[in-house]
């Protein structure tokens, strides 16, 4: 997306994805502009790259969620020349233009741009062979305020929905390149609930009601258009459990080939849900019924659970697996409570620590992302009744129990044929492998073996995920061309930023 926002006079950016391979310092020359994207988990590595780039004479500009939350830290520890906070779709272009003119400022506030201004990514600059699937964001922001999540603080609580034409055009470009699996990387694909509509009606807030109805209608429009794309395309997304109330929405998802959704279940008890400000989630039998509705309407659930909440007890772990099984969810992830900056939980913890902070070396534990990984504690906030090791061991057992060969084979019965069932088994094992070791102290031999296994499985899965490119696939004809379409028509994605300026 930032490549699409790069002004033409800077040329085509070179993209480096360090989750695949480390940057080669030799590729950086004096006078280059290096943009670095950091979230909390990779901030320390990002700072090392920034320092290296600066020492080679490059201009260093940071952005991303962590830079948004800690601009001063980035300037200091990452030796940044400049930092962009908030959305980079417009601000990055401004920073690059200023840099070329020798007028780079310290901080650029990107803020929260409107949905109609989101840019389509320059997929043409990426090597499609290196990825199993692509990701496209259709909406930013989330109206909820879960205590462990920073999205509502950084992206805001007002859903900012991208024009559906622009989303479809970007997906068409992806299918042309051979991507058939696409993650709709949204915070919540279901931004308007029945409760939201009812409240607006009860308050006689006509403007709000109209706004919500329009957002909802555009969701349906998007799904209608997704349904017209080649039939081999598969989408998955993220949404709240409330979508289980709305069978028309689930049916539209099925028709649109949105085959699965990550649903934040978090906790299975009312106390646990209250602890994370998510007591609008159903609990107990109602929760299981709500989740089963997804499957009944053709949408598979990847249930996400958190362990280590203050209300958790040893019995919570078994109760969680049982709920996951009872609710018929297809995949599950069990993550450990982590206080991410920008969240309510982090704020509370930072306040508690303020008087007498726990130190690791010369750093307070509340700046854990700056602690080198070799000495970084695996859990940061003490639990009232269980030790960190106990929580980690119990979490690991839950992963093991949910992903036994037998249980996975049973769940694979949702697949239409043997080939897909085998693919399902691979995926289950891969998912478990990739995520389950979070925070678990494994010896290096075991880690090496599991990485080799994961690599082999990814190689097998890639064959199933990718499709033959369809360079001839046409974009739908829109009455008004979308921003992405206007820019692609010019034949050069770099002009997309220009097109955007013209449109505005
Ligand atoms: C999709 C997603 C994933 C997908 C990613 C798939 C993919 N390959 O793209 C998956 C499922 C793999 C994933 C995994 C994880 N994720 Co995630 N993920 C998201 C999600 C929902 C959307 C990210 C996205 O695509 N955004 C769209 C892009 C365009 O937005 P953006 O990255 O913010 O970039 C904009 C600006 O920040 C800025 N910008 C960004 N970089 C730069 C750089 C420069 C130079 C400039 C100028 C501007 C700039 O401009 C961009 C355009 O406006 C976000 C929530 C969110 N709203 O951001 C969480 C989120 C980023 N994830 C989060 C977390 C915690 C994780 C995991 C650690 C979870 C886990 N326990 O394993 C892992 C880490 C994976 C890893 N190794 O990095 C947290 C991060 C919190 C934090 N403070 O760091 C978030 C914010 C969710 C949350 N609830 O709090 N994630
Ligand atoms: S966890 Fe999900 S529902 Fe809760 S605030 Fe974050 S994005 Fe919204």
């Amino acid at each position: 997306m930032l490549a699409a926002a790069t002004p033409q006079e800077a040329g085509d950016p070179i993209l480096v994805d360090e989750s695949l391979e480390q940057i080669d310092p030799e590729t950086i020359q004096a006078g280059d502009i290096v943009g670095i994207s950091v979230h909390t988990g990779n901030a320390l590595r990002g700072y090392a790259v920034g320092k290296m780039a600066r020492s080679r004479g490059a201009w260093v500009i940071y952005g991303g969620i962590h830079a948004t939350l800690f601009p001063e830290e980035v300037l200091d520890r990452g030796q940044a020349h400049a930092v962009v906070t908030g959305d980079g779709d417009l601000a990055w272009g401004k920073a690059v233009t200023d840099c070329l003119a020798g007028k780079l400022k310290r901080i650029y506030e990107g803020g929260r741009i409107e949905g109609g201004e989101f840019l389509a990514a320059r997929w043409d600059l990426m090597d499609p062979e290196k990825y199993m699937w692509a990701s496209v964001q259709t909406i930013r922001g989330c109206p909820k305020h879960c205590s462990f999540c920073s999205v509502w603080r950084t992206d805001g609580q007002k859903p900012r929905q991208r024009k559906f034409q622009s989303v479809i055009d970007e997906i068409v470009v992806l299918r042309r390149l051979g991507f058939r699996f696409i993650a709709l990387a949204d915070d919540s694909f279901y931004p308007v609930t029945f409760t939201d509509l009812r409240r607006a009606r009860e308050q006689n807030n006509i403007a709000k009601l109209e706004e919500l109805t329009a957002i909802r209608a555009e969701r349906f429009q998007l799904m209608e258009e997704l349904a017209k794309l080649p039939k081999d395309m598969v989408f998955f997304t993220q949404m709240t459990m409330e979508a289980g109330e709305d069978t028309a929405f689930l049916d539209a998802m099925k028709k649109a080939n949105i085959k699965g959704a990550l649903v934040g279940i978090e906790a299975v008890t009312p106390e646990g849900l209250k602890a994370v400000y998510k007591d609008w989630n159903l609990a107990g039998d109602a929760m299981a019924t709500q989740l089963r509705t997804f499957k009944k309407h053709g949408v598979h659930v990847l249930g996400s659970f958190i362990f280590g909440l203050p209300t958790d007890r040893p019995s919570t772990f078994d109760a969680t697996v049982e709920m996951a099984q009872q609710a018929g969810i297809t995949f599950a992830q069990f993550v450990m409570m982590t206080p991410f900056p920008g969240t309510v939980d982090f704020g509370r913890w930072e306040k508690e620590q303020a008087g007498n902070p726990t130190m690791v070396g010369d750093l307070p534990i509340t700046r854990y992302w700056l602690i080198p990984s070799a000495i970084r504690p695996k859990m940061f906030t003490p639990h009232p009744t269980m030790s960190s090791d106990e929580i980690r061991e119990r979490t690991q057992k839950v992963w093991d129990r949910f992903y036994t060969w037998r249980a996975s084979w049973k769940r694979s019965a949702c697949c239409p044929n043997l080939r897909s069932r085998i693919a399902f088994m691979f995926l289950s094992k891969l998912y478990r492998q990739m995520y389950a070791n979070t925070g678990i102290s494994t010896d290096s031999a075991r880690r090496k073996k599991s990485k080799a296994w994961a690599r082999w499985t990814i190689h097998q899965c890639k064959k199933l995920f990718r499709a033959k490119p369809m360079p001839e696939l046409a974009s739908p004809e829109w009455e008004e061309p979308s921003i992405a379409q206007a820019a692609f028509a010019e034949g050069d994605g770099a002009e997309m930023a220009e097109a955007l300026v013209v449109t505005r």
Side-chain angles (χ1 to χ4, degrees):
M1 284 166 85
L2 296 171
T6 305
Q8 212 173 1
E9 60 267 33
D12 273 349
I14 298 162
L15 305 179
V16 181
D17 178 352
E18 279 223 339
S19 60
L20 296 178
E21 59 211 344
Q22 288 208 343
I23 189 161
D24 173 2
E26 295 298 318
T27 56
I28 300 175
Q29 315 291 325
D32 282 353
I33 302 173
V34 177
I36 303 171
S37 180
V38 280
H39 60 76
T40 300
N42 65 16
L44 200 54
R45 172 64 193 157
Y47 298 159
V49 172
K51 282 187 258 184
M52 177 275 289
R54 190 160 178 158
S55 73
R56 296 183 63 85
W59 294 98
V60 177
I61 308 177
Y62 287 82
I65 187 152
H66 194 78
T68 300
L69 294 165
F70 296 101
E72 290 302 330
E73 177 189 294
V74 168
L75 285 159
D76 175 27
R77 300 224 172 219
Q79 290 183 9
H81 289 98
V83 55
V84 173
T85 60
D87 293 335
D89 311 51
L90 302 175
W92 167 247
K94 176 95 185 75
V96 172
T97 305
D98 284 357
C99 191
L100 293 175
K103 295 188 299 195
L104 189 63
K105 290 192 289 190
R106 262 180 105 238
I107 296 192
Y108 290 80
E109 283 174 16
R112 294 172 192 152
I113 60 168
E114 288 303 320
E117 296 175 304
F118 296 172
L119 292 178
R122 286 282 309 273
W123 293 102
D124 59 305
L125 297 179
M126 315 232 337
D127 177 0
E129 292 304 318
K130 290 191 171 157
Y131 295 88
M132 270 159 65
W133 62 70
S135 67
V136 173
Q137 208 178 33
T138 77
I139 193 161
R140 280 185 209 166
C142 174
K144 310 293 186 198
H145 59 277
C146 305
S147 70
F148 54 86
C149 175
S150 57
V151 159
W152 60 282
R153 284 260 170 93
T154 53
D155 280 353
Q157 289 186 286
K158 180 178 165 242
R160 291 172 290 145
Q161 185 156 246
R162 194 169 153 198
K163 296 262 172 279
F164 73 89
Q165 298 95 326
S166 165
V167 175
I168 298 293
D169 288 342
E170 187 171 347
I171 292 173
V172 167
V173 170
L174 283 166
R175 184 61 193 85
R176 283 184 196 142
L177 292 169
F179 282 105
R180 70 183 191 96
F181 269 78
I182 293 174
L184 304 176
D186 301 332
D187 301 316
S188 182
F189 190 78
Y190 184 64
V192 178
T193 66
F194 285 169
T195 310
D196 299 331
L197 291 167
R198 198 193 61 236
R199 272 200 200 127
R201 237 178 263 127
E202 280 167 5
Q203 290 161 1
N204 211 12
N205 188 341
I206 306 297
K208 183 86 192 158
L209 191 60
E210 277 175 7
E211 187 199 330
L212 294 176
T213 312
I215 295 177
R216 183 176 155 82
E218 189 153 352
R219 289 276 93 181
F220 277 95
Q221 234 169 338
L222 170 65
M223 291 192 276
E224 227 170 79
E225 294 298 330
L226 286 174
K228 294 178 194 160
L229 292 170
K231 291 289 161 259
D232 65 350
M233 298 207 73
V234 175
F235 303 97
F236 53 97
T237 189
Q238 315 198 114
M239 63 208 298
T240 60
M241 199 200 295
E242 291 152 306
E245 69 192 5
D246 193 340
T247 51
F249 198 90
L250 294 177
D251 290 341
M253 283 175 72
K254 183 179 181 209
K255 228 170 125 202
N257 266 327
I258 305 175
K259 300 221 182 213
L262 183 148
V263 174
I265 302 168
E266 328 302 359
V268 298
T269 61
E271 311 82 64
L273 290 167
K274 203 161 176 214
V276 293
Y277 299 178
K278 210 156 184 164
D279 37 357
W280 40 268
N281 255 3
L282 298 171
D285 287 344
M287 176 186 266
T289 310
Q290 182 98 327
L291 289 167
R292 274 199 303 268
T293 313
F294 281 79
K295 202 166 175 182
K296 233 189 257 163
H297 289 264
V299 178
H300 290 277
V301 170
L302 190 175
S304 182
F305 300 87
I306 301 179
F307 286 132
L309 303 175
T311 50
D312 284 352
R313 294 293 173 266
S315 59
T316 311
F317 296 84
D318 280 343
T320 304
V321 192
E322 275 145 30
M323 162 63 76
Q325 282 162 346
Q326 191 196 344
I329 64 177
T330 312
F331 293 99
Q333 65 178 30
F334 308 94
V335 297
M336 283 189 303
M337 180 69 199
T338 308
F340 278 109
T343 63
V344 170
D345 289 338
F346 184 86
R348 204 184 288 144
W349 179 50
E350 206 178 27
K351 224 185 239 166
E352 279 163 17
Q353 286 275 324
N356 183 20
T358 307
M359 301 295 288
V360 183
D362 57 354
L363 287 162
I365 196 164
T366 50
R367 291 293 173 275
Y368 57 85
W369 55 89
L370 298 174
I371 302 171
S373 60
I375 55 164
R376 191 182 300 168
K378 299 286 183 223
M379 273 193 87
F380 312 114
T381 42
H383 188 271
T385 60
M386 285 181 282
S387 71
S388 302
D389 281 342
E390 181 176 358
I391 296 173
R392 280 190 287 133
E393 271 158 31
R394 288 187 184 276
T395 303
Q396 181 70 6
K397 280 200 185 114
V398 168
W399 277 95
D400 288 342
R401 213 178 131 189
F402 188 82
Y403 285 102
T404 58
W405 283 106
R406 201 190 161 109
S408 300
W409 181 249
K410 206 167 150 202
R411 282 193 294 274
S412 74
C414 61
C415 298
N417 53 45
L418 186 63
R419 189 168 179 263
S420 343
R421 274 188 97 161
I422 292 170
F424 182 99
M425 296 297 288
F426 270 128
L427 263 186
S428 300
K429 287 288 169 189
L430 181 65
Y431 198 72
R432 190 225 167 280
Q433 196 79 16
M434 283 193 327
Y435 281 86
N437 286 333
T438 323
I440 303 294
S441 49
T442 41
D443 61 69
S444 59
R446 197 177 147 197
R447 261 205 315 266
K448 217 167 145 192
K449 201 171 140 207
S450 83
K451 268 190 190 156
W453 191 90
R455 227 174 269 132
W456 181 82
T457 316
I458 287 170
H459 188 68
Q460 304 308 314
C461 289
K462 228 161 74 175
K463 291 185 213 156
L464 295 157
F465 275 87
R466 303 266 309 146
K468 203 165 163 248
M470 293 174 81
E472 72 295 344
L473 184 66
S475 287
E477 301 260 332
W478 310 117
E479 276 171 27
E480 269 180 60
S482 70
I483 293 169
Q485 206 176 33
F488 282 121
E490 302 287 338
D492 183 351
E495 284 174 27
M496 211 177 280
E498 294 240 359
L500 182 75
V501 175
V502 172
T503 318
R504 284 197 305 133

